[in-house]
Amino acid sequence: MTECERQQHAHLDALLQAYHEALAVHKFDGVLVFSGQPARHFGDDQHATFTAYGHFVHLTGQAHLAHSWVMVRLGEPSTLYLHSPADIWHLPAYLPEEPWVERFRVEPRKTHEPPALPPGRFAVLGEISDGMAQVMGAEANPSGLVAALNELRVRKSAYEVSCLRNANHQAMAGHLSAREAFDAGGAEFDIQLAYLGGVRQRESELPYPNIVGLNAHGGVLHYQHYDTVAPEKRRSLLLDAGVRYRGYCADITRTWPGHDSVAEFTPLIDGVTSLQHDLIAQLAPGVSYVDLHRRMHEGLAALLVEQRLVNASIESVLESGLTQAFCPHGLGHLLGAQVHDVAGLVDATGQRRPPPAEHPALRLTRELEVGMVVTVEPGLYIIPMLLETHRHRPEVNWDRVDQLADHGGIRIEDNVLVTAAGPDNLTPQEP
Ligand code: GLY
Ligand code: MN
Ligand code: MN
């Protein structure tokens, strides 16, 4: 047995035990977890791309298995109801040779109907309507049980950390291929193809649509297109691209200057990179992620002053809200079987912990704990829509800011494990 297989066995031992404990605490006899199903285009026989429900992925690692179910039941072996109809059009679903398969009784099924439930109190989790759950004689997504199972995903097992590390190594190979395509003068589409070739993963299997932003497109936070024509001037590339490995996600961003960057751009990239390294060094158990997010804003204020984008004190830049205009997103989020993993905005008892009013986009408000994997992704963007409300401020050096507008933005993002000994950066640092 390989080390990875040993780790997966230990992971499943602990996970299924924890499922049983949660069922007992919440007084259920069992839980049926639905993987979900792809949406069919209206009036057509084609389907949208599909990603399975996070808890199904947590149990099986299978992020694209549709119409399938896992039953975890007190006093009984766990069962995977695998949807595998006889189909001349498609290859029937098959399972990988991984240890988790031996842990489940696998029951192939040809129907889209949910499996029949035995007598008892059962929960059904996933994209299930209350009406359907009622027909099944079960409760759909009971909040207490869902919160308890979400919590099981917050601290990663050794197996999950290995998967996240592998996803990161694979993704970095893609980033290096993409950078070569950028340096060779490629369009966004060419860079995307180079990335896919580097990671050897089809687009629909990635954890999120890659963000490949040349020039001003780097300032569109979730820019969604791939231009097929290269721009005349090459100011910058912002590439936010990941990989899924056995269900687990990498989420890495790099920003590169181009042949036609203004001289001010590279020091800004270096500044954001060094701020990111400082913030990563501060990751430790007990540290509040909200505090770290605030330190990102302090660092951004210092950078804006140092790079003479704003002529004012760091304190007054912070007070004016300018750093929120330059970086409207949060410092990062939990990462796992979903790129924005669950339970970032609650505490360990399930109590809501909303983000501070002035930082509504922050997705993680918890204190850090050993075993959490978080992204650390400070950014600095020229987003005209946001900067416009600050146009009246004379302390902003608008000439400098405006000449950066066609460089879009900067984001540097790594995936980091919190350990008792400090941060363990899962993202390989490129040569
Ligand atoms: N790739 C999405 C994010 O960084 O959160
Ligand atoms: Mn992220
Ligand atoms: Mn990202």
Side-chain angles (χ1 to χ4, degrees):
M1 200 188 297
T2 65
E3 177 59 15
C4 173
E5 287 169 346
R6 251 189 299 279
Q7 284 182 336
Q8 194 175 27
H9 271 301
H11 167 73
L12 283 169
D13 281 343
L15 181 58
L16 292 172
Q17 172 67 26
Y19 256 70
H20 286 163
E21 286 166 14
L23 288 173
V25 167
H26 293 273
K27 303 195 178 0
F28 284 98
D29 295 300
V31 59
L32 190 58
V33 182
F34 182 36
S35 68
Q37 57 196 341
R40 193 171 66 180
H41 302 312
F42 184 70
D44 199 345
D45 61 357
Q46 300 296 308
H47 292 83
T49 57
F50 167 72
T51 302
Y53 177 47
H55 285 300
F56 184 88
V57 181
H58 193 209
L59 285 160
T60 66
Q62 300 298 294
H64 306 286
L65 210 50
H67 301 290
S68 297
W69 308 74
V70 169
M71 165 75 98
V72 181
R73 206 176 146 193
L74 290 176
E76 296 284 336
S78 302
T79 303
L80 169 65
Y81 298 100
L82 177 69
H83 183 246
S84 51
D87 184 350
I88 58 164
W89 300 104
H90 304 101
L91 194 67
Y94 59 93
L95 297 175
E97 286 181 16
E98 290 177 17
W100 68 267
V101 176
E102 301 158 18
R103 308 297 294 268
F104 292 88
R105 197 169 63 82
V106 177
E107 196 178 305
R109 299 177 82 243
K110 302 198 182 312
T111 165
H112 285 183
E113 294 302 310
L117 289 171
R121 185 172 178 228
F122 285 86
V124 195
L125 306 192
E127 200 173 4
I128 293 284
S129 67
D130 288 342
M132 172 60 96
Q134 223 169 20
V135 170
M136 296 168 70
E139 292 167 48
N141 300 303
S143 57
L145 181 65
V146 171
L149 300 182
N150 285 349
E151 195 58 26
L152 301 180
R153 288 165 54 183
V154 170
R155 288 154 297 273
K156 269 61 185 181
S157 66
Y159 169 71
E160 292 178 294
V161 170
S162 294
C163 290
L164 289 162
R165 205 186 292 277
N166 276 321
N168 264 266
H169 278 264
Q170 206 175 328
M172 185 48 76
H175 274 264
L176 295 177
S177 303
R179 189 179 180 190
E180 280 172 22
F182 172 56
D183 287 343
E188 290 166 351
F189 188 73
D190 302 308
I191 296 167
Q192 166 76 339
L193 291 181
Y195 181 87
L196 296 176
V199 299
R200 303 203 63 72
Q201 190 156 94
R202 63 193 290 179
E203 235 177 323
S204 58
E205 289 176 347
L206 298 176
Y208 56 91
N210 289 346
I211 299 161
V212 185
L214 286 177
N215 301 351
H217 293 157
V220 180
L221 296 178
H222 284 172
Y223 172 65
Q224 72 275 40
H225 301 295
Y226 305 110
D227 273 357
T228 51
V229 178
E232 215 169 281
K233 298 277 182 199
R234 305 183 67 73
R235 310 281 191 201
S236 62
L237 167 66
L238 186 152
L239 175 65
D240 184 343
V243 154
R244 231 182 236 280
Y245 180 87
R246 290 180 171 225
Y248 288 87
C249 307
D251 178 11
I252 301 175
T253 310
R254 291 292 183 266
T255 308
W256 305 109
H259 296 136
D260 306 305
S261 299
V262 294
E264 289 80 357
F265 191 57
T266 299
L268 276 175
I269 297 179
D270 293 344
V272 175
T273 304
S274 118
L275 171 60
Q276 193 238 21
H277 291 168
D278 285 352
L279 292 165
I280 288 175
Q282 296 174 49
L283 294 183
V287 169
S288 149
Y289 199 81
V290 177
D291 287 350
L292 274 183
H293 172 85
R294 292 207 162 100
R295 278 178 229 158
M296 169 181 80
H297 279 278
E298 288 163 16
L300 290 175
L303 185 60
L304 291 172
V305 172
E306 180 200 288
Q307 292 298 317
R308 294 187 295 112
L309 293 178
V310 184
N311 302 313
S313 69
I314 294 173
E315 294 70 30
S316 73
V317 175
L318 282 169
E319 251 166 53
S320 67
L322 263 170
T323 57
Q324 276 100 325
F326 280 101
C327 182
H329 63 67
L331 173 60
H333 47 87
L334 291 168
L335 182 73
Q338 290 169 222
V339 63
H340 299 147
D341 216 359
V342 290
L345 297 176
V346 294
D347 66 18
T349 68
Q351 286 293 103
R352 283 191 65 242
R353 287 176 75 130
E358 68 280 21
H359 300 290
L362 184 57
R363 289 188 165 101
L364 175 56
T365 53
R366 297 175 68 130
E367 281 176 13
L368 297 177
E369 295 172 54
V370 170
M372 283 183 174
V373 174
V374 298
T375 68
V376 180
E377 47 181 306
L380 198 157
Y381 312 86
I382 311 296
I383 304 176
M385 197 191 314
L386 296 182
L387 289 172
E388 224 29 63
T389 59
H390 294 274
R391 269 287 158 187
H392 61 281
R393 294 189 186 283
E395 70 271 31
V396 178
N397 189 339
W398 289 109
D399 287 347
R400 269 173 104 76
V401 170
D402 290 340
Q403 68 159 357
L404 285 163
D406 57 2
H407 297 60
I410 299 163
R411 179 163 65 255
I412 308 292
E413 176 176 25
D414 284 359
N415 307 162
V416 188
L417 169 70
V418 179
T419 80
D424 177 1
N425 195 339
L426 305 181
T427 307
Q429 301 303 294
E430 56 277 39

